[in-house]
Amino acid sequence: MTSRRSKRKIDDQVDSIPEEVSATSKAIIQPSATPPTLSSASLNSSSSTQNDKIQAFATHKSSTLDTLSLQPGRDPTKAVNIAVSSSCLFDTGIDYDWTTEPTFNQYLDKIIKDETTPFPPGSAFTFIQALSNVNRGLLKINPEEQERFNIILMSHNHAHVGIKLITSINSHGLHIERMCLTGGSSPVPHYLHAYNVSLFLTSYPGEVEQALECGFAAAAMTKQSVRDCTGEELRVAFDLDAVLFSAESELHYKEGGLRAFFQHEKDNIDSLVEEGPLKSFAQALGRMQQKFESHKDIVQKSPIKVYIVTARSAASSGERAIKTLRAWGIHITEIHFLAGAPKGPILNAIKPHIFFDDQRSHIVSAQSYGISAAQVPNNIERQMKHSQSVKVSKAWDSSSVTKQ
């Protein structure tokens, strides 16, 4: 039920409706004591005009209520906060160097002169659009729901570019009320902390690396053509190793080949895989799925669909993976063990709004089918160097003991 404060805000919005619409509504509700004599033609014309104005009033009120309901909650700790850069959300089409003042000034002048023209959609656009659809569904179940998706436009852009970004947001019908324009400085890590970010999408791979090091879920996106994925669902596809899972098993594969990988999985079949960088985001999706599926008054399946598309083999390394996902409470819509086969054709059948993977080859395969893909850079090379240094250290210690 809407709170008194929310109702007061809605009433204030309704009071601000244009006078001619408001006046018409009052005239219909409270007709004059002595109505004028009208001809049949005049009466029909007047009735038609009044109906048009009533329809305009209803449309305005519906739009107002929708806008108010989709406002972000005041407490960001209760929301799933998705920070997306302007170059991911929109096709900004211009590359510039912040360190070169003349180049930046030319860019800024061009943007300001054309700030009434919106940017076209970018690689993350359909994903962000789908998040708003889920929010509407959550608010139908519970108008007071606070745990929903909150989008933050987090950009390196100058404050003056904000007008073109706002124009683009409104033109495309997106619901984005929070914006962070840093004027060239990196938002990592201080603004990710300040905005309590649950997932960070950017076109700067270096910032993704830094965000992951600081414990934030993050992925890098590049400019690509993306198919239109309309509808009420939100479809998210994940790889497993080095994305939802840690790079632990991948590390065994890199160091000892497929035989070592399978043996490691067999030896640890009853042990959960260590968590990866996007585990917390997947768990947030799971909590939202439960809000739809556990609501007794609404017979409605969750519009949030989570897919696993992994290069793992089912018989040789699938059991441990499923046990881990089950223990984490992540509700999987579908899981595909591809045993090393290309992922593109499967993703083309699923048509996810976004796909997360750590391997560049799988990202390119997804993009070739118009699938919005985000790369989560793994730290396998760093882990391998660390593992090798540990082995050398142990070998040296063993040798020293033997000599003594």
Side-chain angles (χ1 to χ4, degrees):
M1 183 176 293
T2 306
S3 65
R4 293 182 180 178
R5 182 178 297 177
S6 299
K7 185 176 185 303
R8 197 177 302 121
K9 288 183 179 179
I10 294 172
D11 291 340
D12 292 340
Q13 290 288 332
V14 174
D15 289 340
S16 67
I17 294 172
E19 291 183 2
E20 63 272 16
V21 177
S22 180
T24 302
S25 304
K26 291 176 181 177
I28 295 169
I29 297 171
Q30 297 176 340
S32 59
T34 311
T37 304
L38 299 174
S39 65
S40 177
S42 298
L43 186 60
N44 290 337
S45 175
S46 175
S47 176
S48 176
T49 302
Q50 288 179 343
N51 287 336
D52 289 343
K53 290 183 176 181
I54 292 171
Q55 183 61 42
F57 170 82
T59 301
H60 178 92
K61 183 175 181 180
S62 175
S63 175
T64 299
L65 291 172
D66 186 58
T67 300
L68 287 173
S69 67
L70 290 172
Q71 288 287 313
R74 292 188 177 184
D75 186 356
T77 64
K78 296 180 180 179
V80 180
N81 300 296
I82 312 296
V84 58
S85 71
S86 58
S87 56
C88 288
L89 182 58
F90 301 118
D91 181 3
T92 53
I94 302 174
D95 294 320
Y96 55 93
D97 183 1
W98 283 99
T99 62
T100 308
E101 188 173 347
T103 305
F104 168 67
N105 288 337
Q106 291 173 8
Y107 161 77
L108 196 58
D109 289 342
K110 183 172 182 178
I111 289 293
I112 292 174
K113 288 177 182 177
D114 194 37
E115 62 187 7
T116 58
T117 303
F119 287 122
S123 52
F125 182 86
T126 56
F127 170 60
I128 298 301
Q129 196 175 43
L131 297 179
S132 292
N133 292 336
V134 173
N135 283 345
R136 289 189 182 91
L138 287 169
L139 290 167
K140 285 180 181 178
I141 295 174
N142 178 13
E144 301 297 327
E145 181 61 65
Q146 290 295 310
E147 187 178 20
R148 57 184 194 265
F149 295 110
N150 173 36
I151 314 304
I152 305 154
L153 184 58
M154 193 167 284
S155 172
H156 284 223
N157 266 305
H158 190 281
H160 291 317
V161 182
I163 292 179
K164 188 173 179 71
L165 292 173
I166 292 170
T167 297
S168 303
I169 289 168
N170 292 333
S171 175
H172 292 297
L174 300 175
H175 294 278
I176 301 176
E177 299 296 344
R178 292 195 170 116
M179 184 184 292
C180 170
L181 305 179
T182 65
S185 63
S186 171
V188 182
H190 46 292
Y191 286 131
L192 298 187
H193 281 292
Y195 282 91
N196 194 40
V197 168
S198 308
L199 175 67
F200 178 45
L201 299 174
T202 180
S203 57
Y204 294 89
E207 290 189 353
V208 172
E209 291 270 10
Q210 189 181 357
L212 292 172
E213 289 288 343
C214 294
F216 292 95
M221 305 189 76
T222 58
K223 183 178 177 180
Q224 64 170 105
S225 58
V226 179
R227 65 167 54 169
D228 182 21
C229 297
T230 55
E232 297 301 314
E233 289 185 342
L234 167 64
R235 297 182 297 278
V236 182
F238 295 96
D239 179 28
L240 283 180
D241 295 293
V243 178
L244 289 185
F245 295 167
S246 73
E248 162 207 339
S249 297
E250 189 83 5
L251 184 61
H252 283 275
Y253 168 72
K254 292 287 185 181
E255 290 183 328
L258 204 56
R259 186 184 298 274
F261 168 72
F262 288 151
Q263 187 61 47
H264 174 74
E265 291 300 298
K266 182 179 179 180
D267 293 342
N268 294 276
I269 196 166
D270 292 321
S271 301
L272 301 183
V273 185
E274 293 180 9
E275 65 181 62
L278 263 60
K279 175 201 172 187
S280 58
F281 175 61
Q283 285 183 312
L285 294 178
R287 290 195 302 273
M288 290 194 173
Q289 285 173 321
Q290 292 176 1
K291 292 178 187 293
F292 286 96
E293 296 171 354
S294 63
H295 198 269
K296 298 179 181 179
D297 298 333
I298 298 179
V299 181
Q300 181 180 10
K301 291 184 178 180
S302 172
I304 303 172
K305 310 297 181 185
V306 176
Y307 301 83
I308 301 298
V309 182
T310 175
R312 281 177 174 246
S313 302
S316 306
S317 57
E319 184 175 343
R320 187 184 181 209
I322 294 175
K323 285 180 177 179
T324 300
L325 294 171
R326 181 191 297 165
W328 288 351
I330 297 176
H331 178 71
I332 305 301
T333 306
E334 295 179 9
I335 188 165
H336 299 267
F337 292 100
L338 300 185
K343 296 184 179 183
I346 301 300
L347 292 167
N348 185 43
I350 295 172
K351 298 178 178 59
H353 292 96
I354 195 167
F355 168 58
F356 296 97
D357 202 292
D358 67 307
Q359 300 292 329
R360 184 63 192 162
S361 60
H362 296 315
I363 295 293
V364 172
S365 178
Q367 290 176 334
S368 68
Y369 288 91
I371 304 298
S372 180
Q375 186 172 6
V376 183
N378 65 53
N379 58 355
I380 292 176
E381 296 299 326
R382 184 165 60 254
Q383 287 191 29
M384 286 182 68
K385 289 179 181 179
H386 175 72
S387 177
Q388 288 169 359
S389 66
V390 169
K391 286 181 180 178
V392 170
S393 177
K394 287 182 177 179
W396 175 261
D397 290 342
S398 176
S399 175
S400 300
V401 171
T402 302
K403 288 178 180 179
Q404 290 176 359

